Amino acid sequence: MKIKTFKVEQWMNDYENDAIYNLGETCIDSMTLGELIELSGQNPEKYLSALKDKRMSYGYIEGSPELLKGISSLYKNILPSQSIPTHGAIGANHQVIISMIEPKDNMVCVMPTYQQHYSIPESIGAEVRIVQLTPENNFLPDLNLMRSLVDNNTKMITINNPNNPTGAWIPEDVMTEIIEIAKSVDAYILSDEVYRGISEDGSYMMSIADLYEKGISVGSMSKIFSLAGLRMGWIASRDEHVINACRTRRDYDTVSCGQLDDLFASLALANKEKIAERNRKILLKNREILDEWVNSTPEVSYVKPAAGTTALLYYNNEMPSYELCVKLIKEKGVLFTPGSCFEMEGCVRIGYAYDSEKLREGLDKFTEFLREI
C-alpha cells in the first residue's frame, strides 16, 4: 500500500524544535501531571508515590470503566459501551477508515482538513470527492456541492468540526442538512472532533454522535484537554456495526492503550469542568490577542475562528507558503504551518492557544517579517 507523505506532521517533525515562537502548536497550553493532579484536588507527591506499586500489565483491554464512563460523559447519547479507546485521535481516524472503507467505495471529504481523511482512503483505492471550504462561505461546507457529490457508492462523509485549520464550527442547522444528505444514500458521517468541547459562551457543543445514528465521533485528550502526551483518543458511535468492525480491527493494531494513559485520562475526564474553566480563559484571551493583531495589521486577513485553537492567516505576498514559513523560522524563529500542508496557498495556519506572551511576541515578529519582504 502506497500512501502520500503526511505533510503537516512532516513539517512539524522537521521544524518544530527550531521554534523560538511556536505558533504551530495546536494544543491549549499543556498541563504538567502535577497540575492535573492538583486540579483534581489531590496531593501530587502522594498520588505519584502510590503509583510505584502499580503493576504494568496490559490492564483493561477495551478501556477501564472509569475511562469509558468519562468518554461517554462528553456526549448526550453515547453509552460507555459505545466508545473505543485508541492511540490518540490519529489512531481513531485510521481505525475507522481502514475498518469501514473498501476500494469500491467513494468518500466525500471537506478540504482543508487533517490529511488522514483523504490520503488513507486514497491509499486503499477508494475514490475521494472533495468539498472545498472557502473564506467567502466562512469555511462552512457548500451543501449543494456536497449533495451533488454523493451517490449510492458513497460509504462515508467525513468532516472536521471544529475545523482544522480554519477554526470554523458547523452550526446545528447545517449539521442537520448534512445528515439528511448522508441519509439519502445511507452513508456514515465521520466527524473528527478533537477541537470540540470549549464554546465561546460555555454552552454544550453538539457531536455528530448525538445527532445521527450512523454518526462516528473521534475525540482526544490532546487539544482541548491539554494532555497530548497521554496519546489517548477514542471512537464513539451508536452504530453497532461501526463499533464491532473497529473492535475487530483494534486487535490487530492496538490491543490496548497504556495503563498510565488510561489512568490520567480518566482523572482528567472526571474533572473536565475544571479543565474547561482553565482552558476557556486561555483560549478566549489568546483569540482576542490574535483578533486585535489581525485588525491592526493590513498585511494579513482572516476569517475569525469560531471554535478550536487554529486559524488560517492570509498574507499579501506572492511567496509560496512553504518557502515563506521556512524563511520565517530561520530569520525570526517563528513557526507557522504552511498552507500547502492543507493543499492551500497564500496562507499559513496559526495555533494561538499556547503561551500568551509568546503569541504576542511571535505575531510582532511576523509583522516585522512581512514588512521586510
Side-chain angles (χ1 to χ4, degrees):
M1 180 180 78
K2 292 184 179 180
I3 193 165
K4 294 176 181 175
T5 299
F6 204 146
K7 293 179 183 179
V8 67
E9 297 302 338
Q10 190 60 58
W11 167 262
M12 298 301 281
N13 290 344
D14 289 344
Y15 290 104
E16 188 170 23
N17 291 335
D18 299 332
I20 300 170
Y21 309 97
N22 189 348
L23 306 189
E25 173 61 64
T26 57
C27 302
I28 300 177
D29 201 6
S30 299
M31 285 194 288
T32 66
L33 287 179
E35 285 180 275
L36 172 61
I37 296 164
E38 281 185 355
L39 184 143
S40 72
Q42 302 186 61
N43 181 284
E45 287 72 25
K46 288 182 180 179
Y47 187 95
L48 293 171
S49 177
L51 287 180
K52 70 181 185 297
D53 296 323
K54 188 171 183 63
R55 190 172 297 278
M56 289 288 96
S57 65
Y58 281 101
Y60 289 95
I61 296 298
E62 295 185 354
S64 69
E66 294 80 12
L67 177 64
L68 300 180
K69 179 182 178 183
I71 293 171
S72 70
S73 74
L74 301 173
Y75 302 90
K76 290 188 179 296
N77 298 314
I78 291 293
L79 302 173
S81 61
Q82 294 172 324
S83 62
I84 302 174
T86 61
H87 293 154
I90 200 166
N93 282 323
H94 180 270
Q95 203 169 104
V96 170
I97 296 169
I98 208 77
S99 300
M100 302 300 297
I101 300 300
E102 300 176 60
K104 64 181 177 61
D105 298 326
N106 71 63
M107 187 169 173
V108 175
C109 178
V110 298
M111 178 83 77
T113 189
Y114 202 49
Q115 191 176 333
Q116 281 186 299
H117 291 279
Y118 50 94
S119 287
I120 295 177
E122 283 177 349
S123 73
I124 295 168
E127 179 191 359
V128 179
R129 301 173 177 180
I130 298 299
V131 176
Q132 186 68 44
L133 307 179
T134 65
E136 293 77 18
N137 199 36
N138 292 320
F139 295 114
L140 297 177
D142 181 328
L143 297 177
N144 289 329
L145 174 58
M146 183 178 285
R147 197 172 287 111
S148 73
L149 293 177
V150 301
D151 60 29
N152 290 333
N153 289 326
T154 302
K155 186 70 167 290
M156 186 177 290
I157 297 171
T158 178
I159 57 176
N160 184 194
N161 196 36
N163 180 261
N164 170 25
T166 69
W169 169 249
I170 304 173
E172 194 172 335
D173 61 333
V174 177
M175 283 300 305
T176 299
E177 293 196 55
I178 294 173
I179 290 167
E180 290 305 313
I181 293 170
K183 284 182 176 179
S184 72
V185 292
D186 196 30
Y188 295 95
I189 299 177
L190 168 61
S191 182
D192 185 331
E193 298 174 346
V194 298
Y195 295 94
R196 167 184 169 260
I198 297 183
S199 61
E200 287 272 5
D201 60 2
S203 61
Y204 178 79
M205 299 175 76
M206 293 296 288
S207 165
I208 192 63
D210 295 322
L211 298 168
Y212 183 37
E213 296 83 356
K214 297 188 74 169
I216 308 164
S217 168
V218 162
S220 132
M221 299 305 298
S222 297
K223 310 301 182 181
I224 296 301
F225 286 95
S226 304
L227 294 166
L230 294 186
R231 306 310 306 131
M232 178 64 75
W234 59 85
I235 301 160
S237 180
R238 288 182 280 158
D239 188 279
E240 186 176 347
H241 178 64
V242 169
I243 295 299
N244 289 340
C246 291
R247 282 214 177 103
T248 299
R249 171 70 62 172
R250 190 175 185 270
D251 290 339
Y252 284 94
D253 59 27
T254 306
V255 181
S256 66
C257 296
Q259 278 216 56
L260 295 180
D261 294 338
D262 185 308
L263 177 70
F264 288 117
S266 300
L267 185 65
L269 289 166
N271 292 275
K272 62 183 184 294
E273 290 85 2
K274 294 178 182 178
I275 294 176
E277 182 181 359
R278 169 198 186 263
N279 286 359
R280 181 176 289 106
K281 291 176 182 177
I282 296 170
L283 190 61
L284 298 185
K285 176 183 178 181
N286 286 12
R287 196 175 289 164
E288 191 58 36
I289 291 171
L290 175 62
D291 195 54
E292 289 174 359
W293 174 80
V294 170
N295 290 332
S296 63
T297 307
E299 292 85 358
V300 299
S301 62
Y302 80 153
V303 175
K304 185 177 180 180
T309 68
T310 65
L312 276 184
L313 296 176
Y314 286 83
Y315 55 87
N316 63 351
N317 189 286
E318 294 183 2
M319 185 180 293
S321 60
Y322 191 92
E323 181 184 343
L324 181 142
C325 285
V326 171
K327 188 175 175 67
L328 178 63
I329 194 166
K330 288 182 176 179
E331 295 184 6
K332 302 293 183 181
V334 178
L335 180 75
F336 288 127
T337 304
S340 60
C341 290
F342 299 93
E343 321 299 338
M344 302 180 77
E345 275 303 345
C347 58
V348 296
R349 184 189 72 177
I350 182 172
Y352 58 82
Y354 209 56
D355 180 88
S356 298
E357 287 310 306
K358 289 289 185 185
L359 174 63
R360 290 183 194 276
E361 293 169 12
L363 290 172
D364 287 342
K365 291 288 182 183
F366 188 40
T367 303
E368 288 178 13
F369 175 83
L370 289 172
R371 291 173 182 172
E372 287 170 6
I373 63 170

